Amino acid sequence: MKIIDFFHGNGVGENMKHVVITGSTRGIGYGLAREFLLAGCRVTINGQSQESVERSLQSLRKINPDTVEGYAARVDNRDELEQLWIYAEKHFGTVDIWINNAGIDQERKYFWEMAEEEYDKVIRTNLKGVMNGCHVAFNHMLKQGSGQIFNMEGFGSNGMMREKMTLYGTSKSAVSYFTRSLAIEAKQTNIKVGTLSPGMVATDFLRKSLDEHNRKIFNILGDKVEPVTKFLAAKVLENQNNDARIQWLTKPKVMWRFATSMISKRDIFN
């Protein structure tokens, strides 16, 4: 596995690629869409509802009204993701990059306190949604003869555990395993499969975990959306490798953040 980290430069590589991003009407997904547009790409965004898609399109079209489209689809429904691909291909042609970003958090409960509907929804979105996206994109990219698929990592991908995060961490741990194994299978094809690791990003998703105990850690290790998504988008456009892990918060960066935390105070939530 090739690790691509923060210290390896920021060139954007070849532009005018077509990028499809699931769960891209807000947060990291929206930030990625914005950065790909700024890099000159054509982008198809996705959200669960047509209202959220239209709202995001209004903003993104201020960058370039001719290079962004959107389609509402639920990632836990493979047929709807099939229609997302068809829609994207109809408007912008070949899909060069497909990013499975859509995901939901769990309620801050112990696992045994959760109803079946709650944990079923998290697994269907975070894990089956990724599998559906990979299945749709991989089969179409085989017909194209090329393409790249990236899956979004998160808490649990590195084996970290925390109370009342068991279900979410399980889903992301499974996504990491699935992606690495799929990359091995993809070696016999022209399709490249990899992961994006954004670290701790100041989204509504992260704010749900805030309390006085972990706010300090988040301010040391976390970042606002813009620098993270700018870095990730640039590295995706540069990538030529199968099984790439594009990682923002690397071990050297973590060490540097802690070493300078006493003299450099940060507040990523303001």
Side-chain angles (χ1 to χ4, degrees), residues 60-94:
L60 292 170
R61 281 176 173 156
K62 294 176 183 178
I63 299 173
N64 189 331
D66 301 320
T67 58
V68 60
E69 287 289 343
Y71 187 84
R74 297 170 298 165
V75 297
D76 64 350
N77 186 313
R78 189 199 179 282
D79 290 342
E80 291 189 16
L81 288 186
E82 180 75 22
Q83 293 305 310
L84 169 60
W85 177 285
I86 292 170
Y87 181 91
E89 189 176 49
K90 177 182 177 181
H91 283 79
F92 294 135
T94 298

PDB file of all heavy atoms in Angstrom, residues 60-94:
ATOM      1  N   LEU A  60     -22.642  25.754  -5.823  1.00  0.00           N
ATOM      2  CA  LEU A  60     -21.510  25.267  -6.609  1.00  0.00           C
ATOM      3  C   LEU A  60     -21.497  25.843  -8.022  1.00  0.00           C
ATOM      4  O   LEU A  60     -20.427  26.026  -8.616  1.00  0.00           O
ATOM      5  CB  LEU A  60     -21.533  23.741  -6.670  1.00  0.00           C
ATOM      6  CG  LEU A  60     -21.252  23.020  -5.349  1.00  0.00           C
ATOM      7  CD1 LEU A  60     -21.539  21.524  -5.481  1.00  0.00           C
ATOM      8  CD2 LEU A  60     -19.808  23.251  -4.898  1.00  0.00           C
ATOM      9  N   ARG A  61     -22.659  26.161  -8.551  1.00  0.00           N
ATOM     10  CA  ARG A  61     -22.709  26.709  -9.910  1.00  0.00           C
ATOM     11  C   ARG A  61     -22.169  28.125  -9.994  1.00  0.00           C
ATOM     12  O   ARG A  61     -21.942  28.640 -11.095  1.00  0.00           O
ATOM     13  CB  ARG A  61     -24.139  26.638 -10.447  1.00  0.00           C
ATOM     14  CG  ARG A  61     -24.507  25.244 -10.932  1.00  0.00           C
ATOM     15  CD  ARG A  61     -25.932  25.103 -11.375  1.00  0.00           C
ATOM     16  NE  ARG A  61     -26.152  23.777 -11.974  1.00  0.00           N
ATOM     17  CZ  ARG A  61     -27.314  23.163 -12.045  1.00  0.00           C
ATOM     18  NH1 ARG A  61     -28.401  23.754 -11.547  1.00  0.00           N
ATOM     19  NH2 ARG A  61     -27.422  21.965 -12.589  1.00  0.00           N
ATOM     20  N   LYS A  62     -21.938  28.748  -8.843  1.00  0.00           N
ATOM     21  CA  LYS A  62     -21.280  30.055  -8.839  1.00  0.00           C
ATOM     22  C   LYS A  62     -19.821  29.920  -9.258  1.00  0.00           C
ATOM     23  O   LYS A  62     -19.207  30.880  -9.716  1.00  0.00           O
ATOM     24  CB  LYS A  62     -21.375  30.690  -7.450  1.00  0.00           C
ATOM     25  CG  LYS A  62     -22.799  31.036  -7.034  1.00  0.00           C
ATOM     26  CD  LYS A  62     -22.844  31.575  -5.611  1.00  0.00           C
ATOM     27  CE  LYS A  62     -24.282  31.853  -5.181  1.00  0.00           C
ATOM     28  NZ  LYS A  62     -24.344  32.338  -3.762  1.00  0.00           N
ATOM     29  N   ILE A  63     -19.262  28.734  -9.085  1.00  0.00           N
ATOM     30  CA  ILE A  63     -17.881  28.481  -9.518  1.00  0.00           C
ATOM     31  C   ILE A  63     -17.848  28.293 -11.027  1.00  0.00           C
ATOM     32  O   ILE A  63     -17.054  28.913 -11.734  1.00  0.00           O
ATOM     33  CB  ILE A  63     -17.308  27.236  -8.814  1.00  0.00           C
ATOM     34  CG1 ILE A  63     -17.292  27.454  -7.301  1.00  0.00           C
ATOM     35  CG2 ILE A  63     -15.895  26.922  -9.327  1.00  0.00           C
ATOM     36  CD1 ILE A  63     -16.899  26.220  -6.514  1.00  0.00           C
ATOM     37  N   ASN A  64     -18.709  27.408 -11.517  1.00  0.00           N
ATOM     38  CA  ASN A  64     -18.833  27.190 -12.965  1.00  0.00           C
ATOM     39  C   ASN A  64     -20.176  26.505 -13.219  1.00  0.00           C
ATOM     40  O   ASN A  64     -20.343  25.337 -12.884  1.00  0.00           O
ATOM     41  CB  ASN A  64     -17.693  26.330 -13.504  1.00  0.00           C
ATOM     42  CG  ASN A  64     -17.686  26.285 -15.034  1.00  0.00           C
ATOM     43  OD1 ASN A  64     -18.713  26.411 -15.690  1.00  0.00           O
ATOM     44  ND2 ASN A  64     -16.494  26.108 -15.606  1.00  0.00           N
ATOM     45  N   PRO A  65     -21.112  27.214 -13.818  1.00  0.00           N
ATOM     46  CA  PRO A  65     -22.461  26.649 -14.000  1.00  0.00           C
ATOM     47  C   PRO A  65     -22.510  25.502 -15.012  1.00  0.00           C
ATOM     48  O   PRO A  65     -23.494  24.760 -15.051  1.00  0.00           O
ATOM     49  CB  PRO A  65     -23.278  27.850 -14.491  1.00  0.00           C
ATOM     50  CG  PRO A  65     -22.275  28.748 -15.136  1.00  0.00           C
ATOM     51  CD  PRO A  65     -21.028  28.602 -14.319  1.00  0.00           C
ATOM     52  N   ASP A  66     -21.465  25.360 -15.813  1.00  0.00           N
ATOM     53  CA  ASP A  66     -21.483  24.373 -16.896  1.00  0.00           C
ATOM     54  C   ASP A  66     -20.800  23.062 -16.546  1.00  0.00           C
ATOM     55  O   ASP A  66     -20.838  22.126 -17.350  1.00  0.00           O
ATOM     56  CB  ASP A  66     -20.813  24.953 -18.146  1.00  0.00           C
ATOM     57  CG  ASP A  66     -21.503  26.214 -18.641  1.00  0.00           C
ATOM     58  OD1 ASP A  66     -22.755  26.247 -18.607  1.00  0.00           O
ATOM     59  OD2 ASP A  66     -20.798  27.151 -19.057  1.00  0.00           O
ATOM     60  N   THR A  67     -20.182  22.976 -15.372  1.00  0.00           N
ATOM     61  CA  THR A  67     -19.393  21.778 -15.078  1.00  0.00           C
ATOM     62  C   THR A  67     -19.852  21.045 -13.823  1.00  0.00           C
ATOM     63  O   THR A  67     -19.119  20.205 -13.287  1.00  0.00           O
ATOM     64  CB  THR A  67     -17.894  22.134 -14.939  1.00  0.00           C
ATOM     65  OG1 THR A  67     -17.728  23.107 -13.904  1.00  0.00           O
ATOM     66  CG2 THR A  67     -17.331  22.650 -16.248  1.00  0.00           C
ATOM     67  N   VAL A  68     -21.056  21.331 -13.351  1.00  0.00           N
ATOM     68  CA  VAL A  68     -21.554  20.621 -12.171  1.00  0.00           C
ATOM     69  C   VAL A  68     -23.022  20.258 -12.361  1.00  0.00           C
ATOM     70  O   VAL A  68     -23.825  21.060 -12.830  1.00  0.00           O
ATOM     71  CB  VAL A  68     -21.356  21.443 -10.876  1.00  0.00           C
ATOM     72  CG1 VAL A  68     -22.088  22.785 -10.953  1.00  0.00           C
ATOM     73  CG2 VAL A  68     -21.787  20.646  -9.651  1.00  0.00           C
ATOM     74  N   GLU A  69     -23.340  19.008 -12.038  1.00  0.00           N
ATOM     75  CA  GLU A  69     -24.710  18.510 -12.065  1.00  0.00           C
ATOM     76  C   GLU A  69     -24.947  17.732 -10.772  1.00  0.00           C
ATOM     77  O   GLU A  69     -24.018  17.470 -10.010  1.00  0.00           O
ATOM     78  CB  GLU A  69     -24.948  17.597 -13.276  1.00  0.00           C
ATOM     79  CG  GLU A  69     -25.020  18.335 -14.606  1.00  0.00           C
ATOM     80  CD  GLU A  69     -26.291  19.155 -14.764  1.00  0.00           C
ATOM     81  OE1 GLU A  69     -27.263  18.903 -14.006  1.00  0.00           O
ATOM     82  OE2 GLU A  69     -26.325  20.042 -15.641  1.00  0.00           O
ATOM     83  N   GLY A  70     -26.196  17.364 -10.517  1.00  0.00           N
ATOM     84  CA  GLY A  70     -26.500  16.622  -9.305  1.00  0.00           C
ATOM     85  C   GLY A  70     -27.669  15.680  -9.483  1.00  0.00           C
ATOM     86  O   GLY A  70     -28.545  15.920 -10.332  1.00  0.00           O
ATOM     87  N   TYR A  71     -27.672  14.616  -8.691  1.00  0.00           N
ATOM     88  CA  TYR A  71     -28.727  13.616  -8.797  1.00  0.00           C
ATOM     89  C   TYR A  71     -29.012  13.041  -7.416  1.00  0.00           C
ATOM     90  O   TYR A  71     -28.084  12.637  -6.694  1.00  0.00           O
ATOM     91  CB  TYR A  71     -28.293  12.494  -9.741  1.00  0.00           C
ATOM     92  CG  TYR A  71     -29.373  11.489 -10.049  1.00  0.00           C
ATOM     93  CD1 TYR A  71     -30.308  11.727 -11.053  1.00  0.00           C
ATOM     94  CD2 TYR A  71     -29.458  10.300  -9.332  1.00  0.00           C
ATOM     95  CE1 TYR A  71     -31.310  10.801 -11.341  1.00  0.00           C
ATOM     96  CE2 TYR A  71     -30.451   9.368  -9.611  1.00  0.00           C
ATOM     97  CZ  TYR A  71     -31.370   9.619 -10.621  1.00  0.00           C
ATOM     98  OH  TYR A  71     -32.350   8.710 -10.900  1.00  0.00           O
ATOM     99  N   ALA A  72     -30.283  12.991  -7.039  1.00  0.00           N
ATOM    100  CA  ALA A  72     -30.666  12.456  -5.740  1.00  0.00           C
ATOM    101  C   ALA A  72     -30.769  10.935  -5.813  1.00  0.00           C
ATOM    102  O   ALA A  72     -31.437  10.389  -6.695  1.00  0.00           O
ATOM    103  CB  ALA A  72     -32.005  13.047  -5.299  1.00  0.00           C
ATOM    104  N   ALA A  73     -30.070  10.259  -4.892  1.00  0.00           N
ATOM    105  CA  ALA A  73     -30.106   8.795  -4.851  1.00  0.00           C
ATOM    106  C   ALA A  73     -29.677   8.331  -3.472  1.00  0.00           C
ATOM    107  O   ALA A  73     -28.801   8.931  -2.849  1.00  0.00           O
ATOM    108  CB  ALA A  73     -29.182   8.202  -5.916  1.00  0.00           C
ATOM    109  N   ARG A  74     -30.294   7.261  -2.993  1.00  0.00           N
ATOM    110  CA  ARG A  74     -29.910   6.661  -1.716  1.00  0.00           C
ATOM    111  C   ARG A  74     -28.835   5.616  -1.968  1.00  0.00           C
ATOM    112  O   ARG A  74     -29.012   4.726  -2.796  1.00  0.00           O
ATOM    113  CB  ARG A  74     -31.125   6.024  -1.049  1.00  0.00           C
ATOM    114  CG  ARG A  74     -32.242   6.995  -0.671  1.00  0.00           C
ATOM    115  CD  ARG A  74     -33.485   6.238  -0.253  1.00  0.00           C
ATOM    116  NE  ARG A  74     -33.984   5.425  -1.361  1.00  0.00           N
ATOM    117  CZ  ARG A  74     -34.880   4.446  -1.231  1.00  0.00           C
ATOM    118  NH1 ARG A  74     -35.361   4.157  -0.031  1.00  0.00           N
ATOM    119  NH2 ARG A  74     -35.285   3.765  -2.289  1.00  0.00           N
ATOM    120  N   VAL A  75     -27.753   5.709  -1.227  1.00  0.00           N
ATOM    121  CA  VAL A  75     -26.641   4.802  -1.489  1.00  0.00           C
ATOM    122  C   VAL A  75     -26.937   3.375  -1.061  1.00  0.00           C
ATOM    123  O   VAL A  75     -26.270   2.431  -1.527  1.00  0.00           O
ATOM    124  CB  VAL A  75     -25.342   5.293  -0.805  1.00  0.00           C
ATOM    125  CG1 VAL A  75     -24.920   6.640  -1.375  1.00  0.00           C
ATOM    126  CG2 VAL A  75     -25.493   5.358   0.715  1.00  0.00           C
ATOM    127  N   ASP A  76     -27.913   3.172  -0.184  1.00  0.00           N
ATOM    128  CA  ASP A  76     -28.231   1.800   0.229  1.00  0.00           C
ATOM    129  C   ASP A  76     -29.114   1.084  -0.797  1.00  0.00           C
ATOM    130  O   ASP A  76     -29.499  -0.063  -0.598  1.00  0.00           O
ATOM    131  CB  ASP A  76     -28.880   1.772   1.615  1.00  0.00           C
ATOM    132  CG  ASP A  76     -30.224   2.478   1.669  1.00  0.00           C
ATOM    133  OD1 ASP A  76     -30.579   3.161   0.694  1.00  0.00           O
ATOM    134  OD2 ASP A  76     -30.906   2.347   2.705  1.00  0.00           O
ATOM    135  N   ASN A  77     -29.398   1.757  -1.898  1.00  0.00           N
ATOM    136  CA  ASN A  77     -30.187   1.181  -2.980  1.00  0.00           C
ATOM    137  C   ASN A  77     -29.322   1.136  -4.239  1.00  0.00           C
ATOM    138  O   ASN A  77     -29.051   2.165  -4.862  1.00  0.00           O
ATOM    139  CB  ASN A  77     -31.449   2.019  -3.210  1.00  0.00           C
ATOM    140  CG  ASN A  77     -32.395   1.393  -4.221  1.00  0.00           C
ATOM    141  OD1 ASN A  77     -31.992   0.962  -5.298  1.00  0.00           O
ATOM    142  ND2 ASN A  77     -33.675   1.360  -3.883  1.00  0.00           N
ATOM    143  N   ARG A  78     -28.887  -0.064  -4.627  1.00  0.00           N
ATOM    144  CA  ARG A  78     -27.977  -0.174  -5.761  1.00  0.00           C
ATOM    145  C   ARG A  78     -28.591   0.369  -7.046  1.00  0.00           C
ATOM    146  O   ARG A  78     -27.901   1.014  -7.855  1.00  0.00           O
ATOM    147  CB  ARG A  78     -27.560  -1.632  -5.974  1.00  0.00           C
ATOM    148  CG  ARG A  78     -26.431  -1.772  -7.000  1.00  0.00           C
ATOM    149  CD  ARG A  78     -26.319  -3.174  -7.568  1.00  0.00           C
ATOM    150  NE  ARG A  78     -25.235  -3.238  -8.549  1.00  0.00           N
ATOM    151  CZ  ARG A  78     -25.325  -2.779  -9.802  1.00  0.00           C
ATOM    152  NH1 ARG A  78     -26.466  -2.202 -10.228  1.00  0.00           N
ATOM    153  NH2 ARG A  78     -24.289  -2.874 -10.624  1.00  0.00           N
ATOM    154  N   ASP A  79     -29.884   0.122  -7.261  1.00  0.00           N
ATOM    155  CA  ASP A  79     -30.533   0.581  -8.482  1.00  0.00           C
ATOM    156  C   ASP A  79     -30.497   2.105  -8.593  1.00  0.00           C
ATOM    157  O   ASP A  79     -30.345   2.648  -9.696  1.00  0.00           O
ATOM    158  CB  ASP A  79     -31.983   0.097  -8.524  1.00  0.00           C
ATOM    159  CG  ASP A  79     -32.088  -1.407  -8.733  1.00  0.00           C
ATOM    160  OD1 ASP A  79     -31.093  -2.015  -9.171  1.00  0.00           O
ATOM    161  OD2 ASP A  79     -33.164  -1.973  -8.442  1.00  0.00           O
ATOM    162  N   GLU A  80     -30.626   2.788  -7.461  1.00  0.00           N
ATOM    163  CA  GLU A  80     -30.581   4.251  -7.503  1.00  0.00           C
ATOM    164  C   GLU A  80     -29.170   4.747  -7.825  1.00  0.00           C
ATOM    165  O   GLU A  80     -28.996   5.758  -8.516  1.00  0.00           O
ATOM    166  CB  GLU A  80     -31.082   4.835  -6.175  1.00  0.00           C
ATOM    167  CG  GLU A  80     -32.567   4.608  -5.967  1.00  0.00           C
ATOM    168  CD  GLU A  80     -33.121   5.353  -4.767  1.00  0.00           C
ATOM    169  OE1 GLU A  80     -32.448   6.281  -4.266  1.00  0.00           O
ATOM    170  OE2 GLU A  80     -34.241   5.001  -4.327  1.00  0.00           O
ATOM    171  N   LEU A  81     -28.150   4.041  -7.342  1.00  0.00           N
ATOM    172  CA  LEU A  81     -26.775   4.417  -7.691  1.00  0.00           C
ATOM    173  C   LEU A  81     -26.490   4.108  -9.162  1.00  0.00           C
ATOM    174  O   LEU A  81     -25.708   4.814  -9.807  1.00  0.00           O
ATOM    175  CB  LEU A  81     -25.782   3.697  -6.792  1.00  0.00           C
ATOM    176  CG  LEU A  81     -25.727   4.180  -5.343  1.00  0.00           C
ATOM    177  CD1 LEU A  81     -24.589   3.489  -4.587  1.00  0.00           C
ATOM    178  CD2 LEU A  81     -25.543   5.697  -5.263  1.00  0.00           C
ATOM    179  N   GLU A  82     -27.113   3.076  -9.679  1.00  0.00           N
ATOM    180  CA  GLU A  82     -27.002   2.789 -11.119  1.00  0.00           C
ATOM    181  C   GLU A  82     -27.547   3.972 -11.919  1.00  0.00           C
ATOM    182  O   GLU A  82     -26.954   4.397 -12.918  1.00  0.00           O
ATOM    183  CB  GLU A  82     -27.773   1.519 -11.456  1.00  0.00           C
ATOM    184  CG  GLU A  82     -27.741   1.122 -12.913  1.00  0.00           C
ATOM    185  CD  GLU A  82     -26.417   0.517 -13.357  1.00  0.00           C
ATOM    186  OE1 GLU A  82     -25.661   0.015 -12.497  1.00  0.00           O
ATOM    187  OE2 GLU A  82     -26.132   0.566 -14.572  1.00  0.00           O
ATOM    188  N   GLN A  83     -28.673   4.508 -11.465  1.00  0.00           N
ATOM    189  CA  GLN A  83     -29.252   5.667 -12.141  1.00  0.00           C
ATOM    190  C   GLN A  83     -28.377   6.910 -11.977  1.00  0.00           C
ATOM    191  O   GLN A  83     -28.320   7.746 -12.882  1.00  0.00           O
ATOM    192  CB  GLN A  83     -30.662   5.934 -11.605  1.00  0.00           C
ATOM    193  CG  GLN A  83     -31.670   4.854 -11.959  1.00  0.00           C
ATOM    194  CD  GLN A  83     -31.754   4.599 -13.454  1.00  0.00           C
ATOM    195  OE1 GLN A  83     -31.896   5.541 -14.239  1.00  0.00           O
ATOM    196  NE2 GLN A  83     -31.661   3.340 -13.851  1.00  0.00           N
ATOM    197  N   LEU A  84     -27.694   7.028 -10.838  1.00  0.00           N
ATOM    198  CA  LEU A  84     -26.746   8.137 -10.643  1.00  0.00           C
ATOM    199  C   LEU A  84     -25.641   8.061 -11.688  1.00  0.00           C
ATOM    200  O   LEU A  84     -25.282   9.078 -12.298  1.00  0.00           O
ATOM    201  CB  LEU A  84     -26.157   8.082  -9.229  1.00  0.00           C
ATOM    202  CG  LEU A  84     -24.958   8.999  -8.956  1.00  0.00           C
ATOM    203  CD1 LEU A  84     -25.318  10.468  -9.161  1.00  0.00           C
ATOM    204  CD2 LEU A  84     -24.429   8.764  -7.524  1.00  0.00           C
ATOM    205  N   TRP A  85     -25.093   6.862 -11.903  1.00  0.00           N
ATOM    206  CA  TRP A  85     -24.039   6.705 -12.916  1.00  0.00           C
ATOM    207  C   TRP A  85     -24.565   7.092 -14.296  1.00  0.00           C
ATOM    208  O   TRP A  85     -23.912   7.842 -15.035  1.00  0.00           O
ATOM    209  CB  TRP A  85     -23.519   5.268 -12.939  1.00  0.00           C
ATOM    210  CG  TRP A  85     -22.480   5.068 -14.014  1.00  0.00           C
ATOM    211  CD1 TRP A  85     -22.699   4.959 -15.363  1.00  0.00           C
ATOM    212  CD2 TRP A  85     -21.066   5.035 -13.839  1.00  0.00           C
ATOM    213  NE1 TRP A  85     -21.509   4.837 -16.030  1.00  0.00           N
ATOM    214  CE2 TRP A  85     -20.493   4.875 -15.136  1.00  0.00           C
ATOM    215  CE3 TRP A  85     -20.219   5.086 -12.722  1.00  0.00           C
ATOM    216  CZ2 TRP A  85     -19.116   4.787 -15.325  1.00  0.00           C
ATOM    217  CZ3 TRP A  85     -18.857   4.996 -12.924  1.00  0.00           C
ATOM    218  CH2 TRP A  85     -18.309   4.853 -14.203  1.00  0.00           C
ATOM    219  N   ILE A  86     -25.736   6.573 -14.653  1.00  0.00           N
ATOM    220  CA  ILE A  86     -26.310   6.851 -15.974  1.00  0.00           C
ATOM    221  C   ILE A  86     -26.516   8.349 -16.169  1.00  0.00           C
ATOM    222  O   ILE A  86     -26.217   8.906 -17.233  1.00  0.00           O
ATOM    223  CB  ILE A  86     -27.640   6.082 -16.144  1.00  0.00           C
ATOM    224  CG1 ILE A  86     -27.361   4.572 -16.208  1.00  0.00           C
ATOM    225  CG2 ILE A  86     -28.385   6.552 -17.386  1.00  0.00           C
ATOM    226  CD1 ILE A  86     -28.615   3.717 -16.132  1.00  0.00           C
ATOM    227  N   TYR A  87     -27.034   9.007 -15.134  1.00  0.00           N
ATOM    228  CA  TYR A  87     -27.248  10.453 -15.194  1.00  0.00           C
ATOM    229  C   TYR A  87     -25.931  11.197 -15.390  1.00  0.00           C
ATOM    230  O   TYR A  87     -25.812  12.094 -16.238  1.00  0.00           O
ATOM    231  CB  TYR A  87     -27.933  10.924 -13.910  1.00  0.00           C
ATOM    232  CG  TYR A  87     -28.222  12.409 -13.863  1.00  0.00           C
ATOM    233  CD1 TYR A  87     -29.433  12.920 -14.324  1.00  0.00           C
ATOM    234  CD2 TYR A  87     -27.279  13.310 -13.346  1.00  0.00           C
ATOM    235  CE1 TYR A  87     -29.701  14.279 -14.279  1.00  0.00           C
ATOM    236  CE2 TYR A  87     -27.538  14.662 -13.305  1.00  0.00           C
ATOM    237  CZ  TYR A  87     -28.756  15.143 -13.775  1.00  0.00           C
ATOM    238  OH  TYR A  87     -29.005  16.495 -13.736  1.00  0.00           O
ATOM    239  N   ALA A  88     -24.926  10.822 -14.588  1.00  0.00           N
ATOM    240  CA  ALA A  88     -23.624  11.492 -14.670  1.00  0.00           C
ATOM    241  C   ALA A  88     -22.986  11.298 -16.041  1.00  0.00           C
ATOM    242  O   ALA A  88     -22.471  12.245 -16.656  1.00  0.00           O
ATOM    243  CB  ALA A  88     -22.704  10.953 -13.575  1.00  0.00           C
ATOM    244  N   GLU A  89     -23.029  10.069 -16.537  1.00  0.00           N
ATOM    245  CA  GLU A  89     -22.428   9.747 -17.837  1.00  0.00           C
ATOM    246  C   GLU A  89     -23.142  10.486 -18.964  1.00  0.00           C
ATOM    247  O   GLU A  89     -22.506  10.956 -19.923  1.00  0.00           O
ATOM    248  CB  GLU A  89     -22.482   8.240 -18.051  1.00  0.00           C
ATOM    249  CG  GLU A  89     -21.704   7.742 -19.253  1.00  0.00           C
ATOM    250  CD  GLU A  89     -21.738   6.224 -19.332  1.00  0.00           C
ATOM    251  OE1 GLU A  89     -22.842   5.638 -19.236  1.00  0.00           O
ATOM    252  OE2 GLU A  89     -20.654   5.624 -19.486  1.00  0.00           O
ATOM    253  N   LYS A  90     -24.452  10.620 -18.864  1.00  0.00           N
ATOM    254  CA  LYS A  90     -25.228  11.318 -19.889  1.00  0.00           C
ATOM    255  C   LYS A  90     -24.811  12.780 -19.985  1.00  0.00           C
ATOM    256  O   LYS A  90     -24.740  13.341 -21.091  1.00  0.00           O
ATOM    257  CB  LYS A  90     -26.714  11.215 -19.561  1.00  0.00           C
ATOM    258  CG  LYS A  90     -27.624  11.982 -20.522  1.00  0.00           C
ATOM    259  CD  LYS A  90     -29.079  11.867 -20.106  1.00  0.00           C
ATOM    260  CE  LYS A  90     -29.979  12.698 -21.034  1.00  0.00           C
ATOM    261  NZ  LYS A  90     -31.409  12.611 -20.620  1.00  0.00           N
ATOM    262  N   HIS A  91     -24.529  13.401 -18.838  1.00  0.00           N
ATOM    263  CA  HIS A  91     -24.222  14.828 -18.840  1.00  0.00           C
ATOM    264  C   HIS A  91     -22.754  15.135 -19.128  1.00  0.00           C
ATOM    265  O   HIS A  91     -22.441  16.106 -19.811  1.00  0.00           O
ATOM    266  CB  HIS A  91     -24.631  15.452 -17.499  1.00  0.00           C
ATOM    267  CG  HIS A  91     -26.092  15.679 -17.376  1.00  0.00           C
ATOM    268  ND1 HIS A  91     -26.987  14.673 -17.072  1.00  0.00           N
ATOM    269  CD2 HIS A  91     -26.847  16.800 -17.556  1.00  0.00           C
ATOM    270  CE1 HIS A  91     -28.219  15.168 -17.049  1.00  0.00           C
ATOM    271  NE2 HIS A  91     -28.158  16.448 -17.334  1.00  0.00           N
ATOM    272  N   PHE A  92     -21.843  14.326 -18.589  1.00  0.00           N
ATOM    273  CA  PHE A  92     -20.420  14.667 -18.703  1.00  0.00           C
ATOM    274  C   PHE A  92     -19.550  13.552 -19.291  1.00  0.00           C
ATOM    275  O   PHE A  92     -18.331  13.661 -19.301  1.00  0.00           O
ATOM    276  CB  PHE A  92     -19.863  15.049 -17.328  1.00  0.00           C
ATOM    277  CG  PHE A  92     -20.457  16.314 -16.765  1.00  0.00           C
ATOM    278  CD1 PHE A  92     -20.854  16.375 -15.438  1.00  0.00           C
ATOM    279  CD2 PHE A  92     -20.605  17.449 -17.546  1.00  0.00           C
ATOM    280  CE1 PHE A  92     -21.387  17.536 -14.900  1.00  0.00           C
ATOM    281  CE2 PHE A  92     -21.145  18.625 -17.024  1.00  0.00           C
ATOM    282  CZ  PHE A  92     -21.537  18.666 -15.707  1.00  0.00           C
ATOM    283  N   GLY A  93     -20.162  12.484 -19.748  1.00  0.00           N
ATOM    284  CA  GLY A  93     -19.381  11.420 -20.377  1.00  0.00           C
ATOM    285  C   GLY A  93     -18.656  10.545 -19.367  1.00  0.00           C
ATOM    286  O   GLY A  93     -19.128  10.345 -18.239  1.00  0.00           O
ATOM    287  N   THR A  94     -17.526   9.996 -19.770  1.00  0.00           N
ATOM    288  CA  THR A  94     -16.752   9.052 -18.970  1.00  0.00           C
ATOM    289  C   THR A  94     -16.582   9.520 -17.527  1.00  0.00           C
ATOM    290  O   THR A  94     -16.222  10.666 -17.269  1.00  0.00           O
ATOM    291  CB  THR A  94     -15.352   8.861 -19.587  1.00  0.00           C
ATOM    292  OG1 THR A  94     -15.495   8.309 -20.890  1.00  0.00           O
ATOM    293  CG2 THR A  94     -14.501   7.925 -18.734  1.00  0.00           C
TER     294      THR A  94
END
